[in-house]
């Protein structure tokens, strides 16, 4: 077989394979090649650049011995797929379920996650969104310290494990979105620098050095990331990618990396005959992110929407510190439900400046919204989740909203386990200072930072879901509420209608209740600690409620902190 590697500045490149070193031949564009006749699937190999190394392949498909070991040849054609009838899923009208493979089950593997798919089928979610699976140092990590981006974490089950998981999801009728990180690489086990100018030479974000997207020799760096994205969608049958923190992609070119990626993914979608989605995590509140390429946008299918989360969180929790300061009033929740974002050119007190632009004309399905996600739980010092009463109200609004709703694993039954920040760096200086770095990252967020040590294995173990909770009455009741809400959303077209200009919201002047109209359907929420009567017309039909409600001549009477859906 032929091995190849990009090393444009090197004067000599060798491959260490089959017990010996062999010189590689230089070619056009900085690519080096070597033919090794006896190499095949499973063969270990590494590269030496100008005598330094050995280093794993920057495009390694498998790292069986971890990030510090050699690469292994991996033949995609050896896996037998059974999803030949899978035609993909459209993001429009979908419900997403975010999960972390290492903590979704006790075993923390793809194989164990497959065993839980019947639970997700009964919940009626359309996609699972899997947090990053690239190799990381040690045995536990959120995934955002990934290196060897073309490979799959062996702890979870490696490349065959991921394929088996995707195949099983498709057989169950569930699409798969994979979280990928292109704005930085992890600080440990990152051996890209010896090969070429992969980095820009400045701190692109709090998490590390910016990648070189627009400097000298950046054409091939861009291909590295675009090729990685296409690999997941093509070779692993992934249905979409969630692109981490795209605001940290520093690209001054006329054609932004995201637009270039969107174009190539559209071409691939035509080839494979199924829809492929790109979901950007962006805190820019810039509608160009989700506008089509021909309209001058960046062509993302959708983007995460923190404004919806913040407004919902404040309404059901009462918190108003840090970045929640601008979201504490119910009038802000009303604005986000009807306009998509709060900061649309308005002043952001957390940023001390105006922020964002109007999302006029952007359909709600292009905005992925949640009540909880890995960041919004895990970035709290104690990794604490919302209590069950708050989840009932928040889920009622989220799952009847015009947005694409996303749940975080365990939310549907009110999981009692926290989701803490955890890592397992090998180098002592990274391991010993991880907690201090984490605390520094959240200076000014309004938290008293008393968090468990991220490097302690206990932080990881405590974050695993306890599936036995589902059998307890309070948790089972909440799970039934989530199932009913999703079923109602799928049964009533008004609830999945993405047109924001069709959403009407009425507010109590005293801030006790909110009424959201979705066509002829009313979603009524009482946030107060006392019962209230909402002015609904006679003949109102109750469709769902999280608590017993009554109706009289004055309207619908809701108990304290309850929600009802009527027609």
């Amino acid at each position: 077989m032929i091995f190849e590697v990009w090393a444009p500045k090197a004067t000599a490149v060798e491959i260490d394979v089959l017990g010996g070193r062999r010189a590689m031949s230089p070619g056009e564009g900085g690519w080096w090649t070597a033919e090794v006749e006896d190499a095949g699937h499973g063969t270990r190999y590494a590269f030496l650049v100008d005598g330094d190394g050995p280093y794993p392949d920057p495009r390694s498909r498998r790292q069986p011995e971890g990030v510090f070991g050699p690469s292994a040849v991996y033949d995609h054609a050896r896996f037998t797929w059974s999803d030949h009838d899978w035609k993909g899923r459209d993001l429009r009208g979908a419900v997403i379920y975010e999960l972390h493979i290492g903590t979704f089950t006790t075993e923390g593997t793809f194989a164990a996650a497959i065993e839980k798919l019947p639970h997700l089928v009964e919940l009626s979610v359309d996609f699972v969104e899997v947090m990053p699976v690239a190799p990381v140092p040690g045995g536990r990590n959120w995934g955002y310290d990934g290196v060897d981006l073309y490979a799959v974490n062996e702890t979870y089950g490696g490349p065959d494990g991921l394929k088996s998981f995707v195949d099983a999801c498709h057989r169950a009728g569930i699409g798969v979105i994979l979280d990928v990180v292109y704005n930085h690489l992890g600080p440990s086990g990152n051996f890209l620098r010896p090969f070429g100018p992969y980095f820009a030479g400045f701190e692109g974000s709090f998490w590390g050095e910016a990648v070189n997207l627009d400097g000298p020799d950046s054409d091939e760096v861009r291909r590295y990331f675009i090729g990685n994205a296409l690999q997941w969608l093509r070779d692993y049958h992934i249905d979409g990618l969630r692109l981490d923190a795209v605001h940290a992609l520093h690209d001054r070119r006329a054609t932004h990396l995201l637009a270039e990626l969107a174009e190539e993914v559209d071409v691939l979608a035509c080839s494979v005959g199924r829809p492929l989605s790109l979901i950007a995590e962006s805190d820019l509140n810039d509608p160009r992110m989700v506008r089509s390429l021909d309209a001058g946008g960046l062509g993302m299918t959708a983007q995460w929407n923190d404004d919806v989360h913040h407004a919902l969180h404040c309404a059901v929790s009462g918190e108003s510190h840090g970045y929640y300061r601008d979201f504490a009033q119910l009038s802000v929740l009303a604005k986000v439900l009807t306009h998509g974002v709060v900061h649309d050119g308005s002043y952001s007190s957390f940023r001390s400046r105006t922020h964002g632009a109007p999302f006029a004309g952007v359909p709600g399905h292009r905005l992925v919204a949640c009540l909880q996600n890995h960041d919004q739980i895990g970035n709290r010092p104690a990794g604490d989740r919302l209590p069950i009463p708050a989840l009932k109200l928040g889920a009622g609004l989220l799952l009847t909203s015009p947005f694409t709703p996303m749940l975080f694993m365990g939310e549907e039954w009110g999981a009692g386990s926290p989701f803490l920040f955890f890592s397992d760096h090998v180098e002592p200086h990274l391991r010993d200072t991880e907690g201090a770095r984490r605390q520094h990252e959240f200076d000014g967020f309004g938290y008293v930072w008393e968090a468990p040590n991220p490097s302690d294995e206990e932080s990881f173990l405590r974050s695993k879901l306890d599936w036995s909770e589902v059998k307890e009455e309070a948790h089972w009741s909440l799970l039934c509420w989530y199932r009913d809400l999703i079923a109602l959303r799928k049964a009533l077209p008004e609830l999945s209608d993405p047109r924001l200009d069709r959403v009407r919201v009425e507010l109590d002047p005293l801030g006790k209740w909110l009424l959201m109209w979705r066509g002829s359907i009313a979603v009524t929420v009482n946030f107060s600690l006392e019962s209230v009567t909402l002015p609904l017309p006679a003949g109102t039909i109750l469709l769902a409620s999280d608590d017993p409600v009554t109706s009289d001549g004055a309207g619908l009477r809701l108990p304290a902190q309850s929600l009802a859906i009527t027609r």
Side-chain angles (χ1 to χ4, degrees):
M1 67 172 294
I2 296 178
F3 291 86
E4 59 182 6
V5 66
W6 183 63
K9 306 299 182 182
T11 57
V13 179
E14 299 170 280
I15 182 171
D16 187 344
V17 62
L18 298 177
R21 296 182 179 181
R22 310 179 187 211
M24 302 185 74
S25 302
E28 293 184 3
W31 283 89
W32 298 72
T33 60
E35 184 172 1
V36 182
E37 291 184 359
D38 296 332
H41 182 79
T43 299
R44 305 290 206 271
Y45 70 100
F47 295 120
L48 293 94
V49 181
D50 291 330
D52 294 330
Y55 302 117
D57 185 350
R59 288 171 171 78
S60 170
R61 266 61 174 187
R62 190 171 177 215
Q63 289 295 123
E65 300 173 30
V67 300
F68 298 103
S71 301
V73 175
Y74 179 78
D75 182 0
H76 283 292
R78 292 172 64 94
F79 185 86
T80 302
W81 291 92
S82 65
D83 67 346
H84 310 295
D85 294 331
W86 177 252
K87 301 302 181 184
R89 275 200 178 275
D90 197 306
L91 198 64
R92 290 173 292 187
V95 176
I96 303 173
Y97 186 96
E98 186 189 21
L99 61 86
H100 177 269
I101 291 294
T103 55
F104 185 54
T105 64
T106 301
E107 299 85 352
T109 63
F110 293 120
I114 290 172
E115 298 300 314
K116 298 299 183 184
L117 291 182
H119 170 84
L120 300 182
V121 171
E122 291 180 11
L123 187 60
S124 292
V125 298
D126 302 287
F127 288 95
V128 292
E129 181 175 306
V130 180
M131 289 173 65
V133 299
V136 293
R140 54 188 182 273
N141 196 287
W142 273 18
Y144 300 94
D145 290 320
V147 295
D148 302 314
L149 299 188
Y150 282 70
V152 179
N153 194 329
E154 291 289 321
T155 303
Y156 297 159
D160 280 356
L162 175 57
K163 288 182 176 180
S164 295
F165 177 75
V166 174
D167 201 41
C169 285
H170 288 172
R171 292 197 306 270
I174 298 173
V176 181
I177 298 166
L178 181 64
D179 196 341
V180 294
V181 185
Y182 296 152
N183 57 73
H184 76 288
L185 277 83
S188 178
N190 174 15
F191 298 112
L192 286 184
R193 187 178 300 281
F195 290 91
Y198 281 93
F199 300 99
F202 63 90
E203 290 295 311
S205 68
F206 182 86
W207 314 293
E209 191 174 5
V211 294
N212 174 26
L213 299 178
D214 54 11
D217 295 308
S218 60
D219 286 354
E220 205 60 61
V221 177
R222 294 166 75 95
R223 292 308 312 169
Y224 176 81
F225 293 107
I226 291 174
N228 179 263
L230 298 178
Q231 171 198 251
W232 301 121
L233 300 169
R234 179 189 61 239
D235 301 327
Y236 286 86
H237 295 200
I238 298 290
D239 300 286
L241 300 175
R242 182 264 191 186
L243 306 169
D244 179 66
V246 299
H247 47 270
L249 294 172
H250 296 269
D251 185 5
R252 297 166 296 179
R253 291 204 189 190
T255 301
H256 193 279
L257 176 73
L258 294 180
E260 187 176 344
L261 175 60
E263 184 176 26
E264 297 226 17
V265 169
D266 282 346
V267 172
L268 180 60
C270 292
S271 173
V272 299
R274 54 188 171 90
L276 301 173
S277 300
L278 293 174
I279 303 173
E281 182 202 13
S282 172
D283 74 350
L284 301 177
N285 277 21
D286 186 349
R288 290 175 297 179
M289 189 68 62
V290 292
R291 295 202 191 283
S292 64
L293 295 175
D294 55 9
L298 294 178
M300 297 294 99
T301 313
Q303 71 167 65
W304 273 26
N305 187 341
D306 280 346
D307 283 16
V308 175
H309 167 271
H310 297 348
L312 284 173
H313 182 89
C314 289
V316 301
S317 73
E319 292 185 352
S320 59
H321 62 273
Y323 51 60
Y324 293 132
R325 285 184 303 225
D326 293 339
F327 298 85
Q329 303 300 317
L330 276 189
S331 58
V332 175
L333 178 57
K335 179 178 179 180
V336 81
L337 290 171
T338 54
H339 291 75
V341 297
V342 172
H343 291 130
D344 52 5
S346 61
Y347 185 78
S348 164
S349 63
F350 181 71
R351 298 175 177 85
S352 298
R353 60 170 173 80
T354 55
H355 183 68
F359 274 65
V362 173
H365 67 75
R366 293 194 179 278
L367 302 175
V368 175
C370 67
L371 185 58
Q372 299 184 120
N373 63 36
H374 75 271
D375 272 332
Q376 301 301 341
I377 300 173
N379 288 344
R380 299 171 68 85
D384 50 312
R385 299 166 178 260
L386 287 170
I388 288 177
L391 288 172
K392 285 185 175 181
L393 298 185
L397 278 169
L398 175 68
L399 290 167
T400 58
S401 76
F403 312 111
T404 296
M406 184 180 76
L407 315 179
F408 184 65
M409 61 177 196
E411 171 187 331
E412 69 275 20
W413 76 75
S417 55
F419 188 72
L420 296 161
F421 180 72
F422 50 82
S423 61
D424 188 25
H425 290 298
V426 176
E427 295 90 336
H429 72 281
L430 290 174
R431 173 183 288 272
D432 296 342
T433 60
E434 185 78 297
R437 286 198 304 275
R438 187 70 171 167
Q439 180 174 355
H440 175 63
E441 181 179 357
F442 292 96
D443 283 348
F445 275 57
Y447 293 127
V448 175
W449 198 266
E450 296 177 353
N453 187 343
S455 299
D456 287 346
E457 185 180 16
E458 185 65 17
S459 297
F460 168 64
L461 296 176
R462 287 178 57 202
S463 299
K464 288 180 178 285
L465 289 179
D466 178 4
W467 286 83
S468 68
E469 291 179 327
V470 179
K471 300 176 183 178
E472 299 173 14
E473 183 176 354
H475 295 291
W476 175 255
S477 175
L478 181 65
L479 176 58
C480 291
W481 176 237
Y482 269 80
R483 287 176 177 173
D484 289 347
L485 287 170
I486 295 174
L488 205 60
R489 181 180 182 87
K490 293 178 180 294
L492 302 175
E494 297 97 324
L495 296 184
S496 58
D497 187 339
R499 293 172 293 184
L500 296 173
D501 60 349
R502 300 294 180 93
V503 181
R504 293 185 293 118
V505 176
E506 300 176 30
L507 290 176
D508 171 36
L510 300 178
K512 292 182 178 181
W513 54 262
L514 176 146
L515 195 162
M516 175 175 65
W517 288 98
R518 306 300 317 279
S520 62
I521 296 174
V523 181
T524 58
V525 191
N526 176 15
F527 294 102
S528 73
L529 297 176
E530 57 189 34
S531 62
V532 298
T533 300
L534 277 74
L536 291 177
T540 294
I541 301 172
L542 179 66
L543 299 175
S545 68
D546 68 328
D547 230 333
V549 299
T550 57
S551 180
D552 56 32
L556 191 72
R557 189 162 186 81
L558 271 69
Q561 295 184 314
S562 63
L563 178 145
I565 302 171
T566 61
R567 166 172 273 166

